[in-house]
Structures are given as C-alpha cells and as structure tokens.
Amino acid sequence: MKVGIVRFPGSNCDADVHRAVTEGLGEEAVYLWHKSNDLEGADVVVLPGGFSYGDYLRAGAIARFSPIMRQVIDFARGGGLTLGICNGFQVLCEAHLLPGALVRNRNLRFRCHDVGLRVENAATPFTTAYAEGDLLHIPIAHGEGQFVAEPATLDELEAEDRVVFRYVDRRGEATDAANPNGSARNIAGIMNAEGNILGLMPHPERHSLAVLGNTDGLGVFQSLLAAVSGWRADGSGRPLEQEPAFGDRAVAGMPS
C-alpha cells in the first residue's frame, strides 16, 4: 500500500500519519505538497490534522482551493480511498466531499485530550480491523470540531449507517458529558454515501504505535491496508465483500 499525505502550510500531523503507516504497518508513505498536481500513484490519500493556512476565514476553507485538491477531489469522486483527520475532515466538508460542517466547539475553547469512541460501522474500508461496538481511546486536538448539519442530513447519515464513530463514555454510552465539542448526536466521524471517504475529528495516528502507550488507532490504517489488498485486516482470509453482518460480530466492551 502506498499512502499519499497532503502537506498544506500549517499541517502539523503529517509526520504522525507517516510514522503510523511506515512504522505501524511497514508500508510506503509519501508527502504530497499542496502546490503539486500529482498524487504520485497513491492508493490512499490522507488529509492530516493541523491548521492549514492558519485556519483563516474558516478551518479548511482556504486549503480546499489548493492546487493538490483538484487531484484529491477527482481521486475521491472516482472511488479512491480518502481519509481526512481533524483539519482534514474540515477540508473534506469545505470541498463538499462530505456533508455538514465543523464549527467552533460549544465551549469556545480548544480541547486536547483523549476521548472515548464507539465504532458504529465496522464494515467500511476504514474499520474492518474493528468490530461494531468496539470502544477506543483516541486523542482530540481542535477548537473547531463541533459537527453540525441539517436534521434531514443527520437522519440520512444515521439511516445509511454513515456515522462511523461516535463520542461515548467509558461505558460506551453516547452521553452529553462524553461529547467534547457539542457535535450533533455525538458524531465523531462520518463517511460519504459510496463509503470511500471518511472524515473524523479524533486522531487515530496519535495512538498507532506501541511506544505511544496505545494502539487503538492503528486499526484504521490496518483496515485501509486490508481494503487495498482486498482482504480482511484480521487475517481470516475472507474477501471484504464477504464481511459478516453486524449481528454476527462480537461486540467489545470497556471496563467502567
């Protein structure tokens, strides 16, 4: 697998993604400069976290018009696996590759700490290494992470199983106290209707190496590797199209 990591002025999590891919998986990763028009044959494109263009106007609003984004948009709309993390999620929304928007946290403060996440959909190219209901500890670091959308859009996301991650407490419950930014319905990550584009505010790359004390986020990258190779990440040898239904999966838990 070859992962292309876009570098905008102000990106600061690009190296973290690079290490998650190269050290966590032993796969190839390349940096894609924002002024480039070449994705360099990447199988997966990642828009990393940071403060692209200083977050002027709105987070992601200027980055959306970078030259590289023409190629990213064509790649994503053509079915290419595309992952937006934190600022990358904001860019995907600004580019209309994902619905909704990310606005200021409800308490108007920057939040930087681990949060609880529940895997809502484990049958995506980004989550086959998990089981539905798995509880993860993943860091956040954002000031504009409150996901908002029209009620009809939220209903559509829920009905189509496009909510991939949700903020929860240690018992796995989507409570208001577990919601770090006021996101509608505790939504932490969503995908497009075709299932090849994922945006999430938490940073899986920051919990992808054992040296960091937590590898809960590595499953996102393991899943992408499985999707690219066409096989499940758990080594069962079943093609992705033979993924069992949610009801056949074990549901993981976390001590309260």
Side-chain angles (χ1 to χ4, degrees):
M1 178 175 69
K2 184 176 183 180
V3 176
I5 306 163
V6 177
R7 273 183 157 171
F8 300 109
S11 294
N12 65 11
C13 298
D14 42 350
D16 302 73
V17 175
H18 193 282
R19 293 190 68 173
V21 173
T22 59
E23 298 181 27
L25 298 181
E27 297 295 318
E28 182 181 2
V30 295
Y31 293 116
L32 305 174
W33 187 234
H34 69 111
K35 290 185 177 181
S36 174
N37 291 300
D38 184 6
L39 298 184
E40 300 185 19
D43 300 301
V44 177
V45 170
V46 179
L47 305 181
F51 304 91
S52 57
Y53 295 90
D55 279 352
Y56 287 107
L57 299 183
R58 290 184 311 276
I62 298 177
R64 176 261 179 272
F65 292 101
S66 289
I68 192 68
M69 284 302 297
R70 290 193 290 269
Q71 304 302 318
V72 172
I73 290 170
D74 287 346
F75 176 80
R77 288 180 175 166
L81 293 169
T82 306
L83 171 64
I85 302 170
C86 196
N87 188 223
F89 186 9
Q90 296 162 339
V91 175
L92 291 176
C93 290
E94 290 287 341
H96 305 297
L97 291 172
L98 289 174
L102 285 309
V103 301
R104 289 291 302 276
N105 295 345
R106 62 181 168 185
N107 64 2
L108 304 182
R109 295 181 178 180
F110 187 87
R111 301 294 299 270
C112 184
H113 52 80
D114 280 10
V115 296
L117 292 185
R118 187 175 68 213
V119 178
E120 301 290 81
N121 186 342
T124 81
F126 308 90
T127 54
T128 55
Y130 303 112
E132 183 194 5
D134 272 355
L135 303 180
L136 315 175
H137 277 136
I138 303 291
I140 60 167
H142 58 249
E144 296 174 87
Q146 181 180 182
F147 179 74
V148 296
E150 295 292 335
T153 299
L154 295 171
D155 290 341
E156 182 178 85
L157 290 171
E158 299 277 12
E160 297 179 358
D161 291 327
R162 291 165 55 192
V163 176
V164 181
F165 297 103
R166 203 181 303 269
Y167 298 112
V168 296
D169 62 19
R170 290 185 60 84
R171 295 170 295 179
E173 297 178 1
T175 63
D176 185 66
N179 189 334
N181 48 39
S183 287
R185 305 187 189 181
N186 283 49
I187 291 173
I190 62 170
M191 65 180 180
N192 65 329
E194 293 73 22
N196 66 295
I197 305 172
L198 172 69
L200 74 163
M201 287 309 297
H203 289 266
E205 78 283 5
R206 294 187 179 182
H207 273 180
S208 291
L209 300 175
V211 70
L212 301 175
N214 187 328
T215 58
D216 281 2
L218 185 61
V220 171
F221 302 99
Q222 291 172 326
S223 300
L224 285 168
L225 176 58
V228 170
S229 63
W231 299 94
R232 281 177 51 86
D234 66 2
S236 68
R238 287 196 299 270
L240 287 171
E241 60 267 24
Q242 294 179 15
E243 187 70 22
F246 286 165
D248 296 331
R249 287 176 164 275
V251 177
M254 182 185 301
S256 59

